[in-house]
Amino acid sequence: MKRYKILFVCLGNICRSPAAHGVMQHLLEMEGLDHMVEVDSCGTYGGHQGQLPDHRMRRHAARRGYDLTHRSRPIEQRDFSECDMIVAMDEANARDLKRMARIDITPRLVMMGDYLSKGQPLDYVPDPYYGGPDGFELALDLIEDACAHLLVEIKTKLQQ
């Protein structure tokens, strides 16, 4: 059986997308669905290729029980056709993905913000890289919220 493949994308693949990758992987394992869903992450920019997530994001994530070990990588053309769902952290990432893809990814491209609960302070996940600790906490709060709702959709897709 082909595994459903989710790809989280941010700019450098060292803060938001590896955090979403780790959170979603954790949720799938808790639900016993990790054998049915493959989670990955990448960036639209390859300047951090091979690096672990930013040490600040790893530290904040570890406090919440997430071990972020993914190594940064840039998006590849094969990702556009192999992934069932490509999740952009913000509008700039979505625009870059559409520009970079050699195929129409519209049916597979979703915004992380679309999965946030009503009442959240933002409708996207801001990049915490240039900010302080509060930015990493906010990003993780939003990622946890969105991943919980995304999991509901994934479970529905798996039942179809």
Side-chain angles (χ1 to χ4, degrees):
M1 182 174 128
K2 180 186 175 288
R3 292 171 63 182
Y4 191 85
K5 187 168 182 178
I6 303 169
L7 182 67
F8 292 101
V9 184
C10 68
L11 178 62
N13 192 216
I14 58 169
C15 291
R16 297 171 291 170
S17 59
H21 181 162
V23 169
M24 182 56 77
Q25 187 67 45
H26 175 79
L27 292 174
L28 290 165
E29 289 169 4
M30 298 288 291
E31 293 281 331
L33 297 172
D34 52 314
H35 67 287
M36 298 175 74
V37 180
E38 180 180 347
V39 182
D40 198 2
S41 64
C42 65
T44 57
Y45 163 73
H48 299 290
Q49 188 168 353
Q51 295 177 15
L52 284 169
D54 183 279
H55 70 280
R56 297 165 296 173
M57 182 56 85
R58 286 188 316 214
R59 183 173 57 245
H60 287 270
R63 289 183 194 143
R64 297 178 186 219
Y66 308 114
D67 185 22
L68 306 183
T69 59
H70 172 77
R71 297 283 178 165
S72 176
R73 71 174 186 87
I75 193 149
E76 300 173 2
Q77 284 303 312
R78 68 179 173 80
D79 292 319
F80 294 117
S81 58
E82 292 178 2
C83 295
D84 297 293
M85 181 180 282
I86 301 169
V87 185
M89 294 295 130
D90 62 35
E91 288 291 338
N93 301 143
R95 279 192 307 275
D96 289 344
L97 289 165
K98 288 177 184 176
R99 181 182 48 79
M100 297 167 82
R102 294 187 192 133
I103 61 171
D104 180 15
I105 60 169
T106 306
R108 287 179 268 207
L109 181 63
V110 298
M111 301 300 300
M112 191 69 155
D114 291 346
Y115 294 93
L116 290 168
S117 296
K118 301 294 182 233
Q120 285 289 355
L122 299 169
D123 62 355
Y124 67 99
V125 180
D127 191 347
Y129 186 78
Y130 292 106
D134 290 347
F136 288 91
E137 288 298 316
L138 174 61
L140 283 165
D141 288 345
L142 295 171
I143 287 166
E144 286 177 332
D145 179 55
C147 281
H149 293 104
L150 181 56
L151 179 62
V152 172
E153 182 173 316
I154 297 304
K155 288 165 89 172
T156 300
K157 288 179 183 288
L158 293 175
Q159 293 173 352
Q160 295 174 349

